[in-house]
Amino acid sequence: MTGIADAHPTGQPREKSDPDPYPNYAWMREHAPVSPVFSPYAAGTTWLVTSYDLVRASLADTRLSNDDRNSSAPPAPFGSGEWDPARGLLDLDRPEHARLRRLVAGAFSPGAVERMRGMVQRIADEAIDSFAGSGAVDLVSSFSLPVPVGIIHEVLGVPASEREAPARCLDLFYRAGMTQPIDVPALTALVDYVKRLADYKRVNPGDDVAAHLIRGFESGDLRDENELHSMILSVLGAGHVTTVQFLGCAVLRLLQHPDQLAAVREGRVSWAAVVNEVLRYDSPVQASAYRYASEDLEIGGVPIAKGDSVLISLAAANRDPERFEQPDEFRADRDARGNVAFGHGTHLCLGAQLARLEGEVALETLFRRLPDLSLDVRPDDVVWAYGPMLRGPRRLPVTFSC
């Protein structure tokens, strides 16, 4: 979903950018909070849910299934060997979802994540070291991309010598999982990549998530190689795709609001509050994965037929004025707890604690080490990309003196 380029003040055309979706979300929340939307790739009707209360209720409604075998469309050939390893955490309901989630939940508990702080700090510093002194850089390619990709590979126990490049990782996951129809060659490349990682970890075990999953396969907690590959794939993707978008958005908003950035630097606003507000204001994941009605039901009084697809708009909910006062204003000091950027209910993002830690450490480090960081482009000229399911700056040119 991209917009048509318009005129730049210099007379040159602007680069194509994803359009701002929030005015449309506002209209839908007010006039049609549960609305049918056109989807050329879904059988039956696809519904979009946009109000905060209905979004939270829908995310917790067990009649809305993550498993596409409840769709009126033919299910994807998971496990067939054609192009997908197995259903993963986003593709299953209880009890299978709970069985797989338990295998890795301990690695992302608050205590386990806090023990990662030193590793996160090191990776953030290394990224800044790579461009410090240059005076200008694209912060997306040099910081908001390599930091999350590096962190999740460390969590999986994969050394730099075995990793795909950060831009390659993001591109493959976006094309394989965030577009319709699915890019089969990209998905095939991802499956091949996680197979290589699994093979490497068998020979080089350690105290990490990938090695833990391999032990789970050997003990029978994972049923086959397909489930092993699917779990590595799930952790790897969830660990970086959305955080890349988040970091770019956070830097942009703080540079747009120097008074709020000053309040954070002076300790009057916490980095944790900044993270919450950015998640609310610029939800990196615009909508949940497709849900499928496992029976006839109603959402907000609107009848939903069995097999219909439901998209739950996290971004629209997070700008609902019934929940957040003046939601279209960025306020780092607001209490933005209760936002649904990480979802809600059974499928609440497993890596939410890690993502928050990454945000706090990476942002504090960046603005401490580059105190005169500034945008090298007008905010209106920042190109937004990856819509409609993700949203974040494609590039973020900045300058600095350190």
Side-chain angles (χ1 to χ4, degrees):
M1 188 170 81
T2 54
I4 303 300
D6 58 353
H8 187 277
T10 63
Q12 299 298 316
R14 281 195 176 97
E15 185 177 1
K16 290 182 179 180
S17 176
D18 287 331
D20 180 357
Y22 289 99
N24 287 338
Y25 290 153
W27 188 94
M28 295 180 77
R29 271 195 314 266
E30 182 177 355
H31 299 285
V34 182
S35 175
V37 293
F38 173 69
S39 176
Y41 306 108
T45 303
T46 298
W47 302 88
L48 182 66
V49 182
T50 51
S51 74
Y52 181 88
D53 288 342
L54 292 179
V55 160
R56 275 184 64 94
S58 297
L59 289 169
D61 193 331
T62 58
R63 298 171 299 172
L64 294 176
S65 168
N66 279 58
D67 192 328
D68 70 352
R69 287 171 290 192
N70 286 302
S71 170
S72 56
F78 285 86
S80 67
E82 291 182 40
W83 48 260
D84 208 326
R87 284 181 167 79
L89 289 173
L90 285 177
D91 311 303
L92 291 169
D93 305 320
R94 289 178 173 172
E96 291 300 283
H97 172 265
R99 174 178 64 85
L100 294 178
R101 188 177 176 111
R102 279 195 299 269
L103 285 175
V104 290
F108 297 98
S109 68
V113 167
E114 182 58 34
R115 290 191 290 274
M116 299 179 194
R117 182 178 292 272
M119 177 266 287
V120 173
Q121 182 69 65
R122 171 176 57 79
I123 291 176
D125 277 319
E126 288 173 353
I128 297 171
D129 289 344
S130 71
F131 61 79
S134 65
V137 75
D138 166 29
L139 212 61
V140 171
S141 62
S142 297
F143 189 74
S144 65
L145 242 175
V147 169
V149 173
I151 289 169
I152 199 59
H153 278 87
E154 289 270 350
V155 170
L156 285 166
V158 179
S161 61
E162 301 297 320
R163 301 174 192 172
E164 289 280 7
R168 171 74 169 163
C169 279
L170 178 61
D171 179 63
L172 287 177
F173 273 97
Y174 173 70
R175 291 193 287 120
M178 298 289 180
T179 60
Q180 292 287 343
I182 289 173
D183 186 324
V184 175
L187 186 53
T188 300
L190 275 179
V191 172
D192 289 343
Y193 182 43
V194 298
K195 287 179 179 178
R196 294 200 307 272
L197 298 186
D199 290 343
Y200 173 84
K201 291 307 300 178
R202 282 191 171 98
V203 178
N204 300 274
D207 184 19
D208 51 66
V209 170
H212 175 72
L213 288 170
I214 289 170
R215 290 191 291 271
F217 166 70
E218 292 170 345
S219 67
D221 291 328
L222 288 171
R223 293 173 177 169
D224 52 32
E225 292 272 358
N226 283 348
E227 278 199 344
L228 171 63
H229 298 150
S230 178
M231 286 299 292
I232 295 174
L233 190 67
S234 295
V235 172
L236 181 60
H240 80 273
V241 170
T242 59
T243 316
V244 171
Q245 319 306 318
F246 165 80
L247 288 176
C249 291
V251 173
L252 173 63
R253 297 312 180 192
L254 288 169
L255 292 179
Q256 279 185 283
H257 298 86
D259 56 332
Q260 298 189 44
L261 176 57
V264 180
R265 281 174 157 156
E266 294 165 7
R268 292 182 281 121
V269 176
S270 70
W271 285 110
V274 171
V275 167
N276 267 331
E277 176 65 349
V278 174
L279 289 168
R280 183 202 69 81
Y281 187 80
D282 283 313
S283 303
V285 181
Q286 294 279 289
S288 70
Y290 278 96
R291 306 289 174 95
Y292 307 97
S294 60
E295 61 184 72
D296 292 342
L297 54 93
E298 290 189 357
I299 302 177
V302 176
I304 310 295
K306 180 180 179 180
D308 280 357
S309 303
V310 178
L311 275 174
I312 303 170
S313 179
L314 311 177
N318 283 336
R319 296 274 192 108
D320 190 338
E322 294 297 317
R323 176 60 180 82
F324 299 102
E325 182 182 354
Q326 296 180 298
D328 293 323
E329 292 186 10
F330 178 81
R331 298 179 181 174
D333 62 348
R334 87 161 71 227
D335 183 357
R337 290 174 297 179
N339 74 75
V340 291
F342 289 124
H344 174 64
T346 301
H347 283 271
L348 178 71
C349 177
L350 180 66
Q353 293 285 345
L354 178 57
R356 292 181 186 280
L357 177 70
E358 288 184 46
E360 292 178 32
V361 172
L363 293 171
E364 187 280 331
T365 303
L366 181 73
F367 284 102
R368 170 171 47 80
R369 292 192 54 182
L370 306 176
D372 62 347
L373 189 72
S374 61
L375 284 174
D376 198 26
V377 63
R378 296 189 323 174
D380 288 347
D381 290 336
V382 171
V383 175
W384 293 80
Y386 305 111
M389 297 298 282
L390 295 175
R391 193 164 191 266
R394 183 182 296 277
R395 279 177 293 280
L396 202 60
V398 296
T399 61
F400 48 90
S401 62
C402 296

